[in-house]
Amino acid sequence: MSFLSFLLGEKKKTASVAKERLQIILAHERSGRNAAEPDYLPDLQRELVAVISKYIKINPEDIKVNLERQDNLEVLEVKIELPDAR
């Protein structure tokens, strides 16, 4: 069914596309690069700002993306400070 959806050009939901992109990025980073700070984090942060800005007016500095490594564990931390609802 997904092949048929691909051929027909069915649009995916934004959240599922973002999740797939994030999984690809993380898999790529795990596959062999051991950089202290991955180079995709600034792009990821910009994309998050762009998506959230569609729904809420937000300051780009209110989104922080951090990757921590401990032994065989990697934790991607995303902190988003939302404005007060008034």
Side-chain angles (χ1 to χ4, degrees):
M1 189 73 173
S2 63
F3 181 70
L4 183 59
S5 297
F6 174 75
L7 290 176
L8 296 177
E10 185 177 320
K11 292 191 93 179
K12 293 183 177 181
K13 300 236 184 256
T14 304
S16 66
V17 171
K19 181 180 175 183
E20 287 176 10
R21 287 180 183 169
L22 185 57
Q23 288 173 335
I24 291 169
I25 290 169
L26 291 174
H28 174 66
E29 285 299 315
R30 288 182 181 152
S31 68
R33 293 183 32 203
N34 284 331
E37 182 163 315
D39 59 352
Y40 68 84
L41 290 180
D43 291 337
L44 179 61
Q45 187 165 348
R46 279 190 293 277
E47 287 185 23
L48 286 169
V49 169
V51 170
I52 293 171
S53 294
K54 290 181 181 180
Y55 304 97
I56 301 171
K57 185 175 180 178
I58 191 166
N59 185 350
E61 283 104 36
D62 291 340
I63 296 180
K64 305 290 184 215
V65 179
N66 186 33
L67 182 68
E68 294 180 13
R69 291 186 174 110
Q70 298 172 352
D71 301 323
N72 290 336
L73 180 67
E74 292 182 349
V75 176
L76 179 65
E77 180 181 38
V78 179
K79 292 183 181 179
I80 304 170
E81 188 175 321
L82 299 175
D84 292 333
R86 293 183 187 201

